[in-house]
Amino acid sequence: MNNSKLPPTSSGLFNSPQNRAIIFQVLSLVVVVLCIFYFVNNMFDNVAKRGITTGFSFLGETAGFGVSQALIPYDDTSSTFLDVFIVGLLNTMLVGVIGIVLASIIGLMVGIGRLSSNYLIAKLSLVYIETFRNIPILLQILFWYNVVLAALPSPRQSISYFDSVFINNRGLIMPDPIFESGSGFILVAFILACISVVFLAKWASKRHDLTGEEFPLIRVSLAIVVVAPLLVFFVTGQPISAEYPALKGFNFKGGITIIPELLALIFALSIYTATYIAEAVRAGIEAVPPGQKEAAKSLGLKEHVILRKVVLPQALRVIIPPVINQYLNLVKNSSLATAIGYPEIVTLFSGTTLNQVGQAIEIILMTMAVYLVFSIVISLLLNWVNAKMEIKGR
Amino acid sequence: MAVYTMKEAKPAPSTSKGLVFWLRENLFSTIPNTLLTLLGIYFIYTTIPPLLDWMIFDATWSGTKEEVVKEGARWIFIIEKFDQFMYGFYPEALHWRPNLVAIISIIFVFFIPRLSSIKIKFVSMLLYPVVCFILIRGGLGLEVVGTEKWGGLMLTILVAAVGIIASFPIGILLALGRQSDNMPIVKTLCVGFIEFIRGVPLITILFMASVVLPLFFSDGIEFDKLLRALIGITLFQAAYIAEVIRGGLQAIPKGQYEASESLGLSYWQGMILIILPQALKISIPNLVGSFISLFKDTTLVLIIGLFDILAMVTLTNSDTSWLGFEIEGYVFVTLIYWVFCFSMSQYSRVIERRYNTDH
């Protein structure tokens, strides 16, 4: 057959989808590049006009302001803006870790409570979820800080527990552990216990595969991890003591102080995020078909075995992705600490440092970069978990 | 002779039905369950009566603050400062203008879906924001009220409404861009924008909008503080809406796309007439969820110095003759937010059922 007699399939430049796609893409790219060029050009003009320096050399300069909570050695006279950045970053991570642990515990309990056969508990869990998830998180942070914690007594009238933990309007004061010589052995014992538990788990799972016999792994490993360091603690002559806080004048001396800003932030963040985690837990458990439970029951499995070996493994696959997203949200919401002045990355860097240095672009981009790194790490973790938990086809 | 008479059936034993049975089954079935129930009752007993006492029975509803003798909430503070909580510093004589806007908005939301003529729908949709803007800001013979005087609940609703309406078209475009596999450059730009915005907290975007945005334009262009916040919130919300709509687009079967192509529809015709109506419909619950988050997130504008309803708590308490009323302020604002968010979430369930055309 002679193809030349057929009319050309696409004559004009715009009639082929490929051509159109290319033209449209080139156009949009040109628009975006022009916009960026215009913005950057203006930016350099404005920055030059206002006499703002550019670049990251400010990071080496001395900061010269105090920080109410620092996890690394910090002092107002010699620490640089880079130190401020690291202090803020670590404080953000501190809030993130404590908040995630607390939110998970509360969320798990409320989520299971929501499905409880106990009518009262189920309804109370529902009320908890509907109350706290419909109130803005910033409002909750401000409420804890300005109303609840501000109403606490002064240091002299502190609420005390066992004369070692004190709560007052300066925060929560706890005994500070002191590690004397020999306490290293306890750490070594703890690490050895952990390693032995890993091997024990491998052996138990192998034995289970071969013989089908169950091994009380959780109880035995808990015992190993707790008993081994305790034994070493007493053998080496109790090398860990504590420095107890004591009232001196108008304030407490010694001990570890958790500042009220951190307390307010952690209360608000974990209570708020827990509502979302609870809903994820409930949805996950409800996603397991009831037939699975009935089948397990008809096999004669006990209630806790059904939960551990049948329901949870299937529910976790549904629960974990949204929960990890909530962890990321918690870390992002911790930036609201700037409203109550908790020294995390946004307060210290986009707030105080920006006011002192004035280099808005560099500082805000650095702050954003911190959160972007968190996001990327968490989404990589999520992908890894998803791949790990995927139902393996044969 | 004994005559057999049928006896009345005895009522079912209380162990298998009735209140006692219900209580035993739902609250006291096992020992741990009973303990949990008692714990729950104790919790309710220790929280609810004091809360009710504080909020209602021991509360002060009228009089001056010198006359307060009761221990409960002093709602006279809220009554005294009510206008500030609602309108901020908006001149009192002009309060009818935001009120009128509220009435127009309710009528608009209620009647627009019932209009049959597409033309009238379209024209009123274009007119609505213009009319509202002129009514609130002034101009055309009305006295001008600068944005620095806007505040309170009015500002909160305004920021949320503008954020929702303005972010919607941008979000749809971003979602379509992200789905366009034959245009890798456009797709990369959209993915980059969405993931960047979603990766950072709103507060950093608001800082960016309020501090860095003015540097991007040459000196002649001035940005209002409120406008800068609105730009930041709109961009932020657009990225989240884009992801919600993308979820809807992905749920549309491939056959629908192919069918619209085989009918000879162009890309935009197919999208507007066939794909988007279905995709938006299944996205409604998630869209409302995203609107609720936006409504809660509007509180963040107080950090860059706008006076929304939450900022009013601090502001009204800085009045030297009304010091120490934070609790009442926070509780009042909490109730307002809770009522708004809770009713929106209930409404989304209603819509979800109404638009559910599955058989």
Short mmCIF file of all heavy atoms in Angstrom, two decimals, chain A residues 122-150:
data_model
loop_
_atom_site.label_atom_id
_atom_site.label_comp_id
_atom_site.label_asym_id
_atom_site.label_seq_id
_atom_site.Cartn_x
_atom_site.Cartn_y
_atom_site.Cartn_z
N ALA A 122 -16.18 4.58 75.94
CA ALA A 122 -16.25 4.90 74.50
C ALA A 122 -16.75 6.32 74.29
O ALA A 122 -16.19 7.07 73.48
CB ALA A 122 -17.17 3.91 73.80
N LYS A 123 -17.78 6.72 75.06
CA LYS A 123 -18.33 8.07 74.88
C LYS A 123 -17.35 9.13 75.39
O LYS A 123 -17.19 10.18 74.77
CB LYS A 123 -19.68 8.19 75.61
CG LYS A 123 -20.82 7.54 74.85
CD LYS A 123 -21.17 8.33 73.59
CE LYS A 123 -22.17 7.62 72.70
NZ LYS A 123 -21.60 6.66 71.77
N LEU A 124 -16.68 8.84 76.52
CA LEU A 124 -15.70 9.81 77.03
C LEU A 124 -14.59 10.02 76.02
O LEU A 124 -14.14 11.15 75.79
CB LEU A 124 -15.11 9.32 78.36
CG LEU A 124 -15.91 9.63 79.62
CD1 LEU A 124 -15.20 9.06 80.83
CD2 LEU A 124 -16.06 11.13 79.79
N SER A 125 -14.13 8.93 75.39
CA SER A 125 -13.07 9.07 74.38
C SER A 125 -13.55 9.92 73.22
O SER A 125 -12.82 10.77 72.71
CB SER A 125 -12.65 7.69 73.86
OG SER A 125 -12.33 6.85 74.92
N LEU A 126 -14.81 9.69 72.80
CA LEU A 126 -15.36 10.48 71.70
C LEU A 126 -15.41 11.96 72.06
O LEU A 126 -15.03 12.82 71.26
CB LEU A 126 -16.77 9.96 71.35
CG LEU A 126 -17.47 10.70 70.22
CD1 LEU A 126 -16.77 10.42 68.91
CD2 LEU A 126 -18.93 10.30 70.12
N VAL A 127 -15.85 12.25 73.29
CA VAL A 127 -15.93 13.65 73.73
C VAL A 127 -14.54 14.27 73.73
O VAL A 127 -14.35 15.40 73.25
CB VAL A 127 -16.57 13.74 75.13
CG1 VAL A 127 -16.39 15.13 75.72
CG2 VAL A 127 -18.04 13.40 75.06
N TYR A 128 -13.55 13.52 74.22
CA TYR A 128 -12.17 14.03 74.22
C TYR A 128 -11.75 14.40 72.80
O TYR A 128 -11.24 15.50 72.56
CB TYR A 128 -11.24 12.95 74.79
CG TYR A 128 -9.77 13.26 74.59
CD1 TYR A 128 -9.09 14.04 75.51
CD2 TYR A 128 -9.09 12.78 73.49
CE1 TYR A 128 -7.77 14.34 75.32
CE2 TYR A 128 -7.76 13.08 73.29
CZ TYR A 128 -7.10 13.85 74.22
OH TYR A 128 -5.79 14.15 74.02
N ILE A 129 -11.98 13.49 71.85
CA ILE A 129 -11.53 13.73 70.48
C ILE A 129 -12.25 14.94 69.89
O ILE A 129 -11.61 15.87 69.37
CB ILE A 129 -11.78 12.49 69.61
CG1 ILE A 129 -10.87 11.35 70.05
CG2 ILE A 129 -11.55 12.80 68.14
CD1 ILE A 129 -11.18 10.03 69.38
N GLU A 130 -13.59 14.97 70.02
CA GLU A 130 -14.34 16.06 69.38
C GLU A 130 -14.06 17.41 70.05
O GLU A 130 -14.17 18.44 69.41
CB GLU A 130 -15.84 15.77 69.41
CG GLU A 130 -16.26 14.63 68.48
CD GLU A 130 -16.09 14.96 67.01
OE1 GLU A 130 -15.78 16.11 66.68
OE2 GLU A 130 -16.27 14.04 66.18
N THR A 131 -13.72 17.39 71.34
CA THR A 131 -13.42 18.66 71.99
C THR A 131 -12.09 19.21 71.51
O THR A 131 -12.00 20.33 71.03
CB THR A 131 -13.34 18.48 73.52
OG1 THR A 131 -14.51 17.81 73.95
CG2 THR A 131 -13.24 19.81 74.22
N PHE A 132 -11.03 18.43 71.64
CA PHE A 132 -9.70 19.00 71.47
C PHE A 132 -9.30 19.15 70.02
O PHE A 132 -8.46 19.97 69.70
CB PHE A 132 -8.66 18.19 72.24
CG PHE A 132 -8.75 18.42 73.71
CD1 PHE A 132 -9.35 17.50 74.53
CD2 PHE A 132 -8.29 19.59 74.26
CE1 PHE A 132 -9.46 17.72 75.89
CE2 PHE A 132 -8.39 19.84 75.61
CZ PHE A 132 -8.98 18.89 76.43
N ARG A 133 -9.90 18.36 69.10
CA ARG A 133 -9.46 18.56 67.73
C ARG A 133 -10.16 19.74 67.07
O ARG A 133 -9.74 20.18 66.02
CB ARG A 133 -9.58 17.27 66.93
CG ARG A 133 -10.95 16.94 66.49
CD ARG A 133 -10.94 16.49 65.07
NE ARG A 133 -11.27 15.12 64.84
CZ ARG A 133 -10.63 14.39 63.95
NH1 ARG A 133 -9.59 14.85 63.33
NH2 ARG A 133 -11.01 13.18 63.69
N ASN A 134 -11.22 20.27 67.70
CA ASN A 134 -11.92 21.41 67.11
C ASN A 134 -11.51 22.74 67.74
O ASN A 134 -12.17 23.74 67.55
CB ASN A 134 -13.43 21.23 67.24
CG ASN A 134 -13.94 20.24 66.22
OD1 ASN A 134 -13.48 20.24 65.08
ND2 ASN A 134 -14.86 19.39 66.61
N ILE A 135 -10.43 22.75 68.51
CA ILE A 135 -9.93 24.00 69.08
C ILE A 135 -8.55 24.24 68.48
O ILE A 135 -7.70 23.34 68.50
CB ILE A 135 -9.83 23.90 70.61
CG1 ILE A 135 -11.20 23.59 71.21
CG2 ILE A 135 -9.30 25.20 71.20
CD1 ILE A 135 -11.16 23.31 72.68
N PRO A 136 -8.30 25.44 67.94
CA PRO A 136 -7.00 25.69 67.31
C PRO A 136 -5.85 25.41 68.28
O PRO A 136 -5.95 25.72 69.47
CB PRO A 136 -7.06 27.18 66.96
CG PRO A 136 -8.49 27.52 66.91
CD PRO A 136 -9.19 26.59 67.84
N ILE A 137 -4.76 24.84 67.75
CA ILE A 137 -3.64 24.46 68.60
C ILE A 137 -2.99 25.69 69.25
O ILE A 137 -2.60 25.65 70.42
CB ILE A 137 -2.62 23.63 67.78
CG1 ILE A 137 -1.37 23.30 68.58
CG2 ILE A 137 -2.23 24.29 66.50
CD1 ILE A 137 -1.60 22.34 69.68
N LEU A 138 -2.96 26.81 68.52
CA LEU A 138 -2.36 28.02 69.10
C LEU A 138 -3.15 28.48 70.32
O LEU A 138 -2.58 28.87 71.35
CB LEU A 138 -2.32 29.13 68.04
CG LEU A 138 -1.70 30.44 68.50
CD1 LEU A 138 -0.27 30.23 68.95
CD2 LEU A 138 -1.75 31.48 67.41
N LEU A 139 -4.48 28.40 70.23
CA LEU A 139 -5.34 28.76 71.35
C LEU A 139 -5.05 27.85 72.55
O LEU A 139 -4.97 28.31 73.70
CB LEU A 139 -6.80 28.65 70.90
CG LEU A 139 -7.94 28.92 71.89
CD1 LEU A 139 -7.69 30.16 72.69
CD2 LEU A 139 -9.24 29.04 71.13
N GLN A 140 -4.86 26.55 72.28
CA GLN A 140 -4.58 25.62 73.38
C GLN A 140 -3.24 25.94 74.03
O GLN A 140 -3.11 25.92 75.26
CB GLN A 140 -4.59 24.19 72.87
CG GLN A 140 -5.96 23.76 72.38
CD GLN A 140 -6.04 22.26 72.14
OE1 GLN A 140 -5.45 21.48 72.86
NE2 GLN A 140 -6.78 21.88 71.11
N ILE A 141 -2.22 26.25 73.19
CA ILE A 141 -0.91 26.59 73.75
C ILE A 141 -1.02 27.82 74.64
O ILE A 141 -0.55 27.85 75.78
CB ILE A 141 0.11 26.84 72.62
CG1 ILE A 141 0.38 25.55 71.85
CG2 ILE A 141 1.41 27.40 73.18
CD1 ILE A 141 1.27 25.75 70.64
N LEU A 142 -1.70 28.86 74.12
CA LEU A 142 -1.83 30.10 74.89
C LEU A 142 -2.62 29.87 76.17
O LEU A 142 -2.31 30.44 77.22
CB LEU A 142 -2.53 31.18 74.05
CG LEU A 142 -1.70 31.76 72.91
CD1 LEU A 142 -2.53 32.72 72.09
CD2 LEU A 142 -0.47 32.47 73.46
N PHE A 143 -3.65 29.01 76.10
CA PHE A 143 -4.46 28.74 77.29
C PHE A 143 -3.62 28.07 78.37
O PHE A 143 -3.62 28.50 79.52
CB PHE A 143 -5.65 27.86 76.90
CG PHE A 143 -6.63 27.68 78.02
CD1 PHE A 143 -7.61 28.64 78.23
CD2 PHE A 143 -6.58 26.59 78.86
CE1 PHE A 143 -8.53 28.49 79.26
CE2 PHE A 143 -7.49 26.44 79.89
CZ PHE A 143 -8.46 27.40 80.09
N TRP A 144 -2.88 27.03 77.99
CA TRP A 144 -2.03 26.35 78.97
C TRP A 144 -1.04 27.32 79.59
O TRP A 144 -0.80 27.32 80.78
CB TRP A 144 -1.26 25.20 78.32
CG TRP A 144 -2.05 23.95 78.19
CD1 TRP A 144 -2.66 23.48 77.05
CD2 TRP A 144 -2.35 23.00 79.22
NE1 TRP A 144 -3.31 22.31 77.33
CE2 TRP A 144 -3.14 21.99 78.64
CE3 TRP A 144 -2.03 22.91 80.57
CZ2 TRP A 144 -3.61 20.91 79.37
CZ3 TRP A 144 -2.50 21.83 81.29
CH2 TRP A 144 -3.28 20.84 80.69
N TYR A 145 -0.44 28.15 78.73
CA TYR A 145 0.63 29.03 79.21
C TYR A 145 0.09 30.19 80.03
O TYR A 145 0.57 30.46 81.12
CB TYR A 145 1.44 29.54 78.01
CG TYR A 145 2.65 30.33 78.41
CD1 TYR A 145 3.67 29.71 79.10
CD2 TYR A 145 2.77 31.67 78.11
CE1 TYR A 145 4.79 30.41 79.49
CE2 TYR A 145 3.88 32.39 78.49
CZ TYR A 145 4.89 31.75 79.18
OH TYR A 145 5.99 32.44 79.57
N ASN A 146 -0.93 30.88 79.50
CA ASN A 146 -1.39 32.12 80.14
C ASN A 146 -2.40 31.89 81.24
O ASN A 146 -2.58 32.75 82.09
CB ASN A 146 -2.02 33.05 79.10
CG ASN A 146 -0.99 33.66 78.19
OD1 ASN A 146 0.18 33.75 78.57
ND2 ASN A 146 -1.39 34.05 77.00
N VAL A 147 -3.10 30.75 81.22
CA VAL A 147 -4.12 30.54 82.23
C VAL A 147 -3.72 29.45 83.23
O VAL A 147 -3.61 29.71 84.42
CB VAL A 147 -5.48 30.18 81.57
CG1 VAL A 147 -6.50 29.86 82.63
CG2 VAL A 147 -5.96 31.33 80.70
N VAL A 148 -3.44 28.24 82.73
CA VAL A 148 -3.21 27.13 83.66
C VAL A 148 -1.88 27.29 84.38
O VAL A 148 -1.82 27.29 85.62
CB VAL A 148 -3.27 25.78 82.92
CG1 VAL A 148 -3.04 24.66 83.90
CG2 VAL A 148 -4.61 25.62 82.23
N LEU A 149 -0.78 27.45 83.61
CA LEU A 149 0.53 27.48 84.25
C LEU A 149 0.77 28.79 84.98
O LEU A 149 1.48 28.83 85.98
CB LEU A 149 1.63 27.22 83.22
CG LEU A 149 1.57 25.83 82.61
CD1 LEU A 149 2.71 25.62 81.63
CD2 LEU A 149 1.64 24.76 83.68
N ALA A 150 0.14 29.87 84.51
CA ALA A 150 0.32 31.16 85.18
C ALA A 150 -0.36 31.17 86.54
O ALA A 150 -0.02 31.97 87.41
CB ALA A 150 -0.22 32.29 84.30
#
